Amino acid sequence: MRLGPGAFAASCVAIEVLGVAIFLRGFFPASVRSASPTGRLAEPAAPEPLAGASSNWTKLPLPLFSKTVIVLIDALRDDFVFGSKGARYMPFTTYLMGKGPSHSFVAEAKPPTVTMPRIKALMTGSLPGFVDIIRNLNSPALQEDNVIRQAKAAGKRMIFYGDETWVKLFPKHFVEYDGTTSFFVSDYTEVDSNVTRHLEKVLKRGDWDMLILHYLGLDHIGHISGPDSPLIGYKLREMDGILMKIYTALLTKERETLSPNLLVLCGDHGMSETGSHGAASAEEVRTPLVLVSSAFERKPDPGFEQFVMAERLHGNWVKLHLEEDRSGALLNLGTKVARQYLGALKTLSLALSMHVAQYDIYSMAVGTIVVLEALTLLLLSTPQVLHRRAELEVPLSPPVFSLLFYLVFLVLSAIHVVVCTSAESSCYFCSLPWLAAGGVMVLVSALLCVIASALARMVMDSTLLWKSAAHPCSGWSEVGLLLLLGTVGHVLSLGASSFVEEEHQTWYFLVSTLCLALSQETCRSYFLGHNNELPHCFHTEPGTVGATSVHQDCFACEAPKAGQMDKAPCPSGTHRGHARWAVLAGPWLVLACCRLLRFLNHTGVQGAHRPDLGHWLTSTSHKMELSCLAALSLLVIFMLAQRGCSPVSKVALALGLVGVFCYRASIGNLLFPWQPANRGISKGILEARFVYVFVLGILFTGTKDLLKSQVIATDFKVKTVGLWELYSGLVLLAALLLRPHNLPVLAFSLLIQTIMTKFIWKPLRHDVAEITVMHYWFGQAFFYFQGNSNNIATIDVSAGFVGLDTYMEIPATFLTVFGTYVGPVLWAGHLAHFLSAEANSDSAMGRACFCYALICSAPVAAYIILVTSLRYHLFIWSVFSPKLLYEGMHLLITAALCVLFTATSQTSHTRAWMKTGAGNQ
């Protein structure tokens, strides 16, 4: 079976996506639920408890509280209550904690610090699984034992107002409820007003036992403008007034019932310095827990007395130490105390590690095997791609491996039966229908047989292969060697948690080193020629990548020698001198741009808290400077993006970029020169949708040109224009979704692409593989330039709601993903356009797709092996697991990009076939 390199690579990446999905389902395990002590088998879900049902206890204990009100404020950081902001904006709550009948604590949430897992933790008392971060968008009903279920079983009448996640987790548990949408982050007023509007009537009634209020406005403000926004104080003051109203009403009820009530103030998670959450920073995990009740009058608590006894015992050791007791009593007492502490900690740590979650090793193993098999196929096919094979020979002939295939399939089926019938815990792969599980086993068997056949063919053809590889220009260039070693080094660096946390530093180093290597290459090429003549000329012939022949059999060929320059006449002396210096300055300009971008957004763990240019620009006192910078960036974006567009698309692009500025001004991020600073703000729905119209128009125009180039045997420039218009449409969408202070990142991205295209890739005659790897490197660097990291908290979820007046899951997910991966997507799109600008772009596009798939697949395969071996590591959930999710999503995006590359190269195949047919006629 023969496949083009692009189609083969796209198929392998699609298989890897399947393998990663199976691995993720096994790696992110479901939480351990409370099991019945009478047996190991899981029991069916208990029926809904009936209100007033009698208990099997002979005598019920008297309740400690008559009524309970739980006020959960989403993203309530501990310093919002206990710090200076609490004292300033929440004076009543501060009074209760200082002099009132209350107990105050700092609660520490465990990652992932998102709403649904934290609600489960609060109500069940257990640590939720990391997979709940994915289920956060659509929460299933909670099946494990929890406070809400027990309260209903005891006949308690519960009322809920707030985040609709509670209604999904606990259906049919509340006698009255009103849910609000939690994902529409642009709204921070109505979402809380819809909760507060019920308080007046409910607090006067007596037909309830528990009232739960979940306020979302504070969290939404954080996502929009961060924890230092003036809106934070306004919202905290509003919450303080609500707490006063509830506490006063409960005191009134106590005088009537003569029994104490309980008011609970808590948060589900905190808020990072950028306003997001999801990771394990101190700001995200530390939340206040305040219990207020007349029963908590200032009096000793028995738990506190036990703590005092422990302090006294510890004090004995301290006293002996201060008295400089040289006897063995001090050493013996200290050793005993240390042994007790360490033993307790070790036991607790082991128990938590084993019982918090159960890994699905079988599903993880199946997913890993599928990924490794696909990567092995890519590696075995690399020699054919490097030797410019137009099509790859994939050995799928049944006579070659039919016996091996059936043997492997039978062995895998037997293993599947044994594992699924003997497993003590649930297994996702075992829960699949036999048809689906059998399909995966058929795929694994077929891939194994294809690998065996490919290896056998390589051994048989090794002599011919190495003979054909003998070429005077077959050596690696210095830049090519740097790209290989840098890519491999990055994969190896993922084995250390510090390198994962600070991965941006790896890409910054690699990109900077690449610029220096390119500078050395330009100097050697342009100053070692004979008689100061340019060894390279700006001359493009049919079938070249810029000035690079697609039929080269090496990564970097030597410069033309004296006597060969007549093949491509050089420009005049003046123009040649200007061109020479422009090429020499190109790498240094790129290096300077990258250095400037590093000042914009500090990311990672070590530098995220440091002040940067982005924080300075987003402060309220520098809104005018931000507005001027955003306007300048949009102008640069238009000048660089409109070059390859049709006249209609140029107009649409210009109007769309004006609409971007208007949208940001309408929501209060930017200012018009004539606009007063205290002007009211809106949600910008109309302005954003105005931009979406032009985005869709440009994308439609580009798609039309691509289809035209595929159906009609037209000039290849039609396809080039179509790809550039698709690219320009994505640029316009990125400008709309990125926050204003990140618009320079988009402008610099276009500028660097222009410099690299005109002054580096074309003059220096780089190979397709080198150009592809460079695009990948810069795409990864720009992923971090815009402020991203391997931390869930840096995801800008507000991008998913630009132009939406209500929560829609699919559009919001797409916009959030695109807003996060703007850098890799735009650089891959530029690669497709750059290679399509050549007459023989079909071969180049296929090889580029293959190289891109290979360099994206290698980190994924290595990383899933790494996290499997480190699944009990201390930082598995806070460092390695978020990175695994990022890698999985990046692989999915790579699969989509490979499909685009393949479809584009198919356009060239169609055109070549039609031309051949016409010539035969």
Side-chain angles (χ1 to χ4, degrees):
M1 180 180 178
R2 292 183 176 274
L3 289 175
F8 177 77
S11 302
C12 290
V13 175
I15 294 173
E16 286 186 342
V17 169
L18 173 64
V20 170
I22 297 175
F23 178 85
L24 290 177
R25 185 57 182 82
F27 180 78
F28 294 117
S31 301
V32 178
R33 301 190 175 106
S34 301
S36 171
T38 58
R40 295 181 177 180
L41 297 179
E43 298 179 355
E48 291 293 336
L50 299 177
S54 59
S55 172
N56 58 358
W57 285 65
T58 57
K59 183 179 180 181
L60 289 175
L62 294 177
L64 296 177
F65 306 102
S66 176
K67 295 184 183 298
T68 300
V69 179
I70 300 176
V71 181
L72 193 155
I73 302 177
D74 212 292
L76 184 65
R77 288 186 357 183
D78 62 329
D79 59 336
F80 287 175
V81 176
F82 302 135
S84 59
K85 291 183 179 179
R88 180 178 180 184
Y89 299 115
M90 304 186 73
F92 178 74
T93 306
T94 303
Y95 167 78
L96 286 179
M97 294 185 300
K99 300 181 179 180
S102 66
H103 291 301
S104 305
F105 308 93
V106 175
E108 182 175 337
K110 297 299 181 182
T113 49
V114 291
T115 297
M116 193 272 281
R118 299 317 313 153
I119 294 175
K120 291 178 63 176
L122 288 171
M123 293 297 104
T124 63
S126 62
L127 297 180
F130 206 88
V131 72
D132 288 325
I133 195 174
I134 303 174
R135 299 174 179 170
N136 189 55
L137 296 175
N138 189 13
S139 309
L142 184 60
Q143 299 296 329
E144 56 188 301
D145 193 16
N146 56 81
V147 174
I148 301 298
R149 172 173 291 184
Q150 292 295 333
K152 186 170 184 179
K156 302 300 180 181
R157 296 157 296 179
M158 293 170 289
I159 298 178
F160 171 77
Y161 304 118
D163 187 353
E164 62 182 2
T165 304
W166 289 77
V167 182
K168 296 178 181 179
L169 286 173
F170 310 107
K172 301 179 182 180
H173 284 68
F174 302 111
V175 296
E176 181 181 328
Y177 63 86
D178 185 11
T180 58
T181 302
S182 59
F183 295 104
F184 189 51
V185 297
S186 300
D187 173 28
Y188 52 84
T189 303
E190 294 181 7
V191 71
D192 286 346
S193 299
N194 290 335
V195 178
T196 308
R197 64 181 180 177
H198 300 283
L199 281 181
E200 287 285 349
K201 296 180 180 179
V202 172
L203 291 176
K204 294 179 180 178
R205 289 157 41 188
D207 59 346
W208 55 271
D209 300 296
M210 182 184 294
L211 174 62
I212 302 176
L213 308 174
H214 189 151
Y215 286 94
L216 292 164
L218 185 68
D219 177 70
H220 290 186
I221 291 174
H223 284 299
I224 295 173
S225 53
D228 297 324
S229 170
L231 296 174
I232 294 290
Y234 163 79
K235 183 58 67 175
L236 292 177
R237 188 176 289 111
E238 176 188 348
M239 295 294 104
D240 192 57
I242 292 171
L243 291 170
M244 179 187 296
K245 179 185 297 185
I246 296 174
Y247 180 72
T248 304
L250 292 180
L251 285 181
T252 304
K253 291 287 186 182
E254 287 185 6
R255 298 189 186 100
E256 299 174 359
T257 61
L258 300 179
S259 59
N261 299 317
L262 176 64
L263 172 60
V264 179
L265 170 64
C266 62
D268 54 347
H269 52 74
M271 181 187 301
S272 69
E273 290 300 328
T274 61
S276 187
H277 54 86
S281 66
E283 294 80 6
E284 295 168 84
V285 302
R286 294 170 63 90
T287 63
L289 176 60
V290 182
L291 308 177
V292 183
S293 176
S294 59
F296 300 150
E297 295 295 339
R298 299 300 178 179
K299 55 185 179 181
D301 183 26
F304 180 76
E305 293 294 335
Q306 294 177 359
F307 178 75
V308 171
M309 292 298 296
E311 278 189 329
R312 291 175 181 172
L313 181 62
H314 194 184
N316 293 336
W317 183 90
V318 173
K319 184 177 180 180
L320 289 176
H321 176 72
L322 294 177
E323 292 176 353
E324 298 183 356
D325 188 343
R326 303 299 180 182
S327 64
L330 178 66
L331 179 62
N332 294 335
L333 181 59
T335 303
K336 182 178 179 180
V337 172
R339 188 187 308 116
Q340 291 176 346
Y341 277 133
L342 291 176
L345 289 175
K346 183 177 180 180
T347 304
L348 290 173
S349 176
L350 181 61
L352 285 175
S353 299
M354 298 302 295
H355 291 89
V356 165
Q358 296 175 348
Y359 289 100
D360 185 355
I361 300 298
Y362 183 43
S363 298
M364 292 169 59
V366 173
T368 303
I369 292 173
V370 172
V371 172
L372 292 180
E373 286 182 335
L375 177 62
T376 303
L377 278 178
L378 287 172
L379 292 174
L380 293 178
S381 304
T382 302
Q384 299 183 57
V385 175
L386 294 181
H387 284 79
R388 310 303 191 264
R389 298 280 181 87
E391 291 183 334
L392 301 180
E393 182 67 30
V394 182
L396 289 177
S397 178
V400 176
F401 57 84
S402 58
L403 180 58
L404 177 61
F405 170 78
Y406 288 116
L407 287 176
V408 173
F409 179 74
L410 290 175
V411 171
L412 293 179
S413 299
I415 294 175
H416 183 74
V417 171
V418 172
V419 172
C420 295
T421 55
S422 62
E424 296 183 358
S425 59
S426 61
C427 175
Y428 169 73
F429 197 66
C430 293
S431 65
L432 292 177
W434 270 99
L435 185 61
V440 174
M441 288 185 284
V442 168
L443 176 64
V444 172
S445 304
L447 291 175
L448 182 62
C449 295
V450 171
I451 292 173
S453 299
L455 286 173
R457 178 168 296 183
M458 286 186 64
V459 173
M460 295 173 58
D461 300 340
S462 59
T463 304
L464 296 177
L465 189 62
W466 286 110
K467 287 183 178 179
S468 63
H471 192 277
C473 245
S474 60
W476 288 78
S477 67
E478 293 180 357
V479 173
L481 191 60
L482 169 65
L483 294 173
L484 175 64
L485 295 179
T487 303
V488 174
H490 164 255
V491 174
L492 297 177
S493 71
L494 298 179
S497 61
S498 298
F499 278 91
V500 174
E501 292 176 332
E502 308 296 327
E503 187 181 358
H504 61 284
Q505 299 288 4
T506 301
W507 290 113
Y508 294 166
F509 171 77
L510 291 178
V511 169
S512 301
T513 306
L514 175 62
C515 292
L516 296 177
L518 291 173
S519 176
Q520 180 197 21
E521 186 178 11
T522 56
C523 291
R524 182 174 61 249
S525 300
Y526 281 77
F527 284 103
L528 296 182
H530 296 283
N531 300 323
N532 292 330
E533 294 292 333
L534 280 173
H536 300 292
C537 296
F538 294 92
H539 178 74
T540 303
E541 299 178 355
T544 64
V545 176
T548 308
S549 171
V550 297
H551 298 293
Q552 293 177 6
D553 291 331
C554 60
F555 277 101
C557 291
E558 297 176 353
K561 296 181 173 59
Q564 294 180 341
M565 297 301 295
D566 54 348
K567 295 182 181 179
C570 292
S572 62
T574 303
H575 181 269
R576 181 178 60 195
H578 292 166
R580 172 187 298 181
W581 289 111
V583 172
L584 292 175
W588 294 102
L589 289 175
V590 173
L591 184 61
C593 292
C594 294
R595 180 66 259 185
L596 290 175
L597 287 174
R598 294 179 63 176
F599 291 115
L600 187 60
N601 292 302
H602 288 166
T603 184
V605 175
Q606 300 297 327
H609 63 282
R610 299 174 184 171
D612 52 34
L613 183 58
H615 285 87
W616 185 83
L617 289 171
T618 53
S619 62
T620 55
S621 58
H622 301 104
K623 187 174 291 187
M624 184 56 67
E625 290 85 347
L626 176 61
S627 302
C628 296
L629 180 62
L632 178 61
S633 300
L634 292 174
L635 179 61
V636 173
I637 291 170
F638 173 74
M639 297 300 297
L640 295 176
Q642 56 85 29
R643 294 173 295 119
C645 296
S646 63
V648 176
S649 296
K650 290 182 180 179
V651 175
L653 180 63
L655 293 176
L657 292 175
V658 171
V660 169
F661 193 93
C662 294
Y663 165 72
R664 289 298 174 181
S666 66
I667 64 175
N669 295 142
L670 303 178
L671 291 175
F672 287 115
W674 59 87
Q675 176 182 331
N678 57 353
R679 174 184 176 271
I681 61 176
S682 67
K683 297 179 181 178
I685 302 297
L686 182 62
E687 293 84 352
R689 291 179 178 178
F690 175 80
V691 179
Y692 282 137
V693 170
F694 294 110
V695 171
L696 294 177
I698 297 174
L699 294 177
F700 175 78
T701 304
T703 305
K704 181 189 68 175
D705 290 340
L706 283 181
L707 294 177
K708 181 179 179 181
S709 66
Q710 184 174 10
V711 175
I712 305 176
T714 57
D715 185 21
F716 71 93
K717 292 183 179 179
V718 175
K719 183 187 72 173
T720 303
V721 173
L723 281 174
W724 184 260
E725 288 181 332
L726 286 177
Y727 174 76
S728 301
L730 295 179
V731 169
L732 178 57
L733 179 60
L736 175 63
L737 300 181
L738 290 178
R739 299 201 176 192
H741 74 279
N742 270 333
L743 288 175
V745 177
L746 185 58
F748 274 113
S749 177
L750 294 172
L751 179 61
I752 291 176
Q753 290 170 359
T754 303
I755 295 174
M756 297 289 289
T757 299
K758 289 187 176 181
F759 304 124
I760 295 180
W761 290 325
K762 288 184 178 180
L764 295 183
R765 307 187 180 193
H766 285 114
D767 183 76
V768 172
E770 293 181 340
I771 294 174
T772 302
V773 178
M774 290 184 200
H775 275 83
Y776 175 78
W777 279 22
F778 276 103
Q780 291 298 105
F782 272 86
F783 174 82
Y784 295 102
F785 281 146
Q786 71 180 82
N788 290 321
S789 69
N790 291 324
N791 192 323
I792 299 295
T794 56
I795 298 178
D796 184 11
V797 296
S798 63
F801 304 93
V802 174
L804 301 181
D805 54 1
T806 184
Y807 175 66
M808 292 182 286
E809 185 172 345
I810 295 178
T813 302
F814 170 77
L815 293 176
T816 303
V817 172
F818 179 79
T820 304
Y821 289 91
V822 162
V825 171
L826 290 185
W827 276 88
H830 182 270
L831 173 63
H833 168 265
F834 178 80
L835 297 179
S836 69
E838 314 305 325
N840 294 332
S841 62
D842 52 348
S843 177
M845 193 72 72
R847 294 202 308 277
C849 178
F850 183 91
C851 294
Y852 200 88
L854 181 60
I855 57 180
C856 291
S857 301
V860 175
Y863 199 71
I864 62 176
I865 296 176
L866 173 71
V867 295
T868 301
S869 60
L870 297 178
R871 62 187 182 274
Y872 293 119
H873 192 277
L874 179 63
F875 300 141
I876 187 64
W877 299 122
S878 59
V879 177
F880 294 105
S881 295
K883 173 62 176 176
L884 181 60
L885 292 178
Y886 275 108
E887 288 292 337
M889 181 56 66
H890 192 196
L891 185 67
L892 182 61
I893 294 175
T894 301
L897 294 174
C898 286
V899 172
L900 173 63
F901 278 50
T902 304
T904 305
S905 62
Q906 290 299 322
T907 303
S908 301
H909 280 298
T910 304
R911 183 176 60 250
W913 177 82
M914 296 182 69
K915 288 183 178 180
T916 303
N920 293 336
Q921 290 179 358

